[in-house]
Amino acid sequence: MRAISERRTNSMLSAEITQLLSPVKQFLQCETPAQWLAMAQKPENLPLLLQDHLICELKAAQSAMYLIRRYASDEQSGEALLQWLKPFEDFTYRQQGDWRALAGLSLKKSMLPKANSGYAQDLIDKMVLLIKEELHHFYQVLEVMAANGIEYEKITSSRYARGLLRHVRTYEPQAMVDKLICGAFIEARSCERFAKLAPLLPKPIADFYISLLRSEARHYQDYLTLATEIAGQDISERIAFFAAIEAELISSPDADFKFHSGVPA
């Protein structure tokens, strides 16, 4: 009976994952190359994979914080966001503090939207939730690293996010729309890679990556919803523009192996 129950649970989980990934795969123009997966599953590359994943979680939180501070919140709310993320940044960039002290850190102030903005409250609501989840994932990656005897070391960032953001337009509100579209692609690719990696990694890490799929799938949709809301018009042409750039970054040779890198050169 237990075996039957486990098979039924696994079948339900597989169906849910398929349902989650279907729109993600339609959004992305290409799947993660087999060459990258072959590199990622090598045990000797696990420390680098997890270290870069850790940094990606923090950068996702920082990007959301930037959007709130730049476009949606008053000055005091923006300062509260900076203080919320500071211990995570101190640990990551300056290697200060004990990572265990990061557990449970939370935003200490309610976010107040800028006056006369039709989208500020929605942006704040979606991005604050995203920050909470990304920082929680950050801590979870540290737990996985500790369980596998992996020390955190500073590493350089990959070309991926820079490769997307260099095409952002320089005038508003188009710049904001482009940044939101870029955020959607980064989250969607993360979701796709978690699903691809899970069968190739040790079970505890695989289970952790599967647990991230729901939030990552929602994050990319939240970014797209905001981009459409702020643009006030159809953005499919701009999405297609960034989709082609993203696919090129993922499918072209890349000398630097990281979580979002392209084909290993």
Side-chain angles (χ1 to χ4, degrees):
M1 290 297 294
R2 181 178 178 181
I4 294 173
S5 177
E6 287 179 353
R7 286 198 297 270
R8 185 180 295 116
T9 299
N10 290 336
S11 177
M12 292 172 63
L13 180 60
S14 178
E16 182 183 5
I17 291 172
T18 299
Q19 185 177 9
L20 280 171
L21 289 177
S22 179
V24 171
K25 290 181 177 180
Q26 291 176 17
F27 182 61
L28 300 170
Q29 281 194 358
C30 71
E31 295 189 18
T32 291
Q35 301 97 310
W36 185 89
L37 291 169
M39 183 74 74
Q41 70 178 327
K42 293 181 179 180
E44 62 267 28
N45 287 330
L46 183 61
L48 180 57
L49 188 70
L50 289 172
Q51 287 164 0
D52 195 52
H53 177 189
L54 180 77
I55 294 172
C56 288
E57 297 290 357
L58 178 58
K59 286 185 175 179
Q62 289 175 314
S63 296
M65 177 186 70
Y66 167 80
L67 290 170
I68 295 174
R69 296 184 71 239
R70 172 71 175 82
Y71 296 108
S73 70
D74 66 1
E75 186 174 346
Q76 288 185 333
S77 297
E79 182 61 31
L81 285 172
L82 287 175
Q83 294 305 312
W84 185 16
L85 266 69
K86 186 177 185 302
F88 296 88
E89 295 171 335
D90 285 343
F91 174 83
T92 305
Y93 302 129
R94 292 170 281 278
Q95 294 180 287
Q96 297 175 356
D98 183 349
W99 66 269
R100 295 169 186 82
L102 301 175
L105 294 181
S106 60
L107 184 62
K108 302 299 184 184
K109 183 183 183 301
S110 298
M111 294 287 100
L112 298 178
K114 289 180 178 179
N116 304 319
S117 172
Y119 59 77
Q121 189 61 60
D122 192 25
L123 190 148
I124 288 172
D125 292 343
K126 285 182 170 63
M127 293 297 102
V128 166
L129 176 59
L130 185 147
I131 294 171
K132 287 179 179 178
E133 292 179 336
E134 302 291 14
L135 294 181
H136 178 58
H137 298 163
F138 179 93
Y139 189 83
Q140 287 179 300
V141 177
L142 284 169
E143 289 183 313
V144 171
M145 290 171 62
N148 287 272
I150 298 171
E151 295 283 341
Y152 169 70
E153 297 178 5
K154 290 174 67 175
I155 57 175
T156 57
S157 59
S158 71
R159 65 176 185 171
Y160 179 76
R162 293 194 308 271
L164 287 171
L165 292 171
R166 70 164 52 106
H167 297 280
V168 168
R169 290 170 288 187
T170 58
Y171 46 92
E172 300 293 357
Q174 287 81 2
M176 184 183 184
V177 171
D178 282 357
K179 290 170 190 173
L180 290 165
I181 293 172
C182 287
F185 275 103
I186 293 169
E187 296 291 336
R189 180 59 65 185
S190 297
C191 185
E192 188 258 0
R193 288 217 156 161
F194 288 140
K196 290 278 191 181
L197 280 167
L200 308 176
L201 298 176
K203 190 176 186 307
I205 302 177
D207 291 344
F208 170 51
Y209 276 7
I210 291 297
S211 75
L212 299 179
L213 294 181
R214 294 183 189 89
S215 58
E216 299 299 317
R218 191 186 68 255
H219 291 170
Y220 104 86
Q221 292 170 339
D222 283 347
Y223 271 117
L224 285 183
T225 298
L226 287 167
T228 302
E229 176 185 347
I230 291 162
Q233 60 186 26
D234 179 53
I235 60 171
S236 57
E237 184 175 332
R238 201 62 186 165
I239 291 172
F241 171 79
F242 278 105
I245 294 169
E246 199 273 346
E248 173 65 19
L249 289 166
I250 290 298
S251 59
S252 60
D254 195 342
D256 187 25
F257 174 73
K258 295 288 172 57
F259 189 84
H260 286 107
S261 57
V263 176

